[in-house]
Amino acid sequence: MPSSPANSDLPVQAEAPAGADLLDALQHQVAVFARRAEQTRLGGVGQARNSMDRAAYLLLNRLDLEGPMGVKALAEGMGIDSSTVTRQVAPLVDGGLVKRTSHPEDGRAVVLALSPRGLARLEEVRSSRRELMARVTEGWSEDERESFTGLLTRFNLSLSELMAAVAEAGPAS
C-alpha cells in the first residue's frame, strides 16, 4: 500500500480492507500507535511533557479515582502482579506523591493513598495530556472523539479480558 514519506507508517488511502487484510491493517495501526505513544509517552505539552512515566500515571490516576487501597487491591484492579505494584509505587512514595497509611479498620494493614503533592502533580500531567489530546484531535468532531474513545475503551477491555483468560488458563503444555 503506498504511503506518505512524512508518515511512512500511515497509508495514503483511507480505504478499509476486508477480512484478513483488515486484521493485518488493525494490528499494524496498533503497532504504530504503540510506537508513537512510547515516543511521546503521551506526555502532553509544556513543562509537564514526558515528565511522568506510564506506570506512575496509571497508579496515581487509579488512587485518585478509587481512593486509598492496599497493594493487592491496586494490583488486581490494574491486572498486574503485587510485586510489580510494590516496585512501581516505591519511587512514588519516596517522591512524596503517594503516602502509606494504616488501614482504617485493620491497623496492621497498609494502604496507599494519593498525597496532596501527588494530586497536584497528577492534575498538572492530566492538564498537559488533555492539551495534547486536543491538539492531536483538533480537526475531529465531538462525535468522532467520542466514537474513538468508545472504541479504544472497548479494545482495551477486550485485550484485558483476553489477557486475564490466558493468565487463568496457565502456561500451554
Side-chain angles (χ1 to χ4, degrees):
M1 186 177 289
S3 53
S4 156
N7 295 302
S8 60
D9 295 319
L10 305 176
V12 171
Q13 299 170 327
E15 196 174 301
D21 288 342
L22 179 59
L23 294 176
D24 287 344
L26 176 60
Q27 70 79 22
H28 177 78
Q29 290 306 317
V30 168
V32 170
F33 172 77
R35 180 181 338 133
R36 298 266 190 272
E38 189 57 35
Q39 286 171 340
T40 64
R41 292 185 165 259
L42 289 182
V45 294
Q47 287 188 320
R49 184 176 183 276
N50 291 332
S51 57
M52 184 178 288
D53 69 37
R54 180 180 52 244
Y57 177 78
L58 292 171
L59 286 166
L60 294 178
N61 196 54
R62 183 163 291 269
L63 289 173
D64 181 43
L65 296 175
E66 297 183 22
M69 65 182 76
V71 168
K72 185 176 179 183
L74 191 54
E76 286 173 0
M78 297 181 72
I80 57 178
D81 189 73
S82 292
S83 63
T84 302
V85 169
T86 300
R87 187 175 57 255
Q88 290 175 347
V89 109
L92 300 175
V93 170
D94 293 344
L97 302 177
V98 171
K99 57 186 176 181
R100 287 187 174 105
T101 60
S102 296
H103 192 284
E105 296 164 11
D106 179 2
R108 298 168 298 163
V110 173
V111 294
L112 302 168
L114 195 59
S115 72
R117 180 177 179 191
L119 179 58
R121 184 73 186 102
L122 180 60
E123 286 301 328
E124 181 180 283
V125 171
R126 278 182 180 153
S127 175
S128 175
R129 290 178 177 195
R130 191 177 307 115
E131 186 178 340
L132 174 65
M133 292 298 104
R135 285 185 182 183
V136 168
T137 62
E138 191 173 323
W140 298 23
S141 70
E142 203 62 25
D143 285 346
E144 288 172 322
R145 285 177 175 169
E146 285 178 19
S147 180
F148 182 71
T149 301
L151 289 170
L152 190 56
T153 300
R154 183 176 172 190
F155 180 84
N156 283 328
L157 287 172
S158 294
L159 193 54
S160 289
E161 290 168 1
L162 177 65
M163 297 313 295
V166 167
E168 195 173 294
S173 35

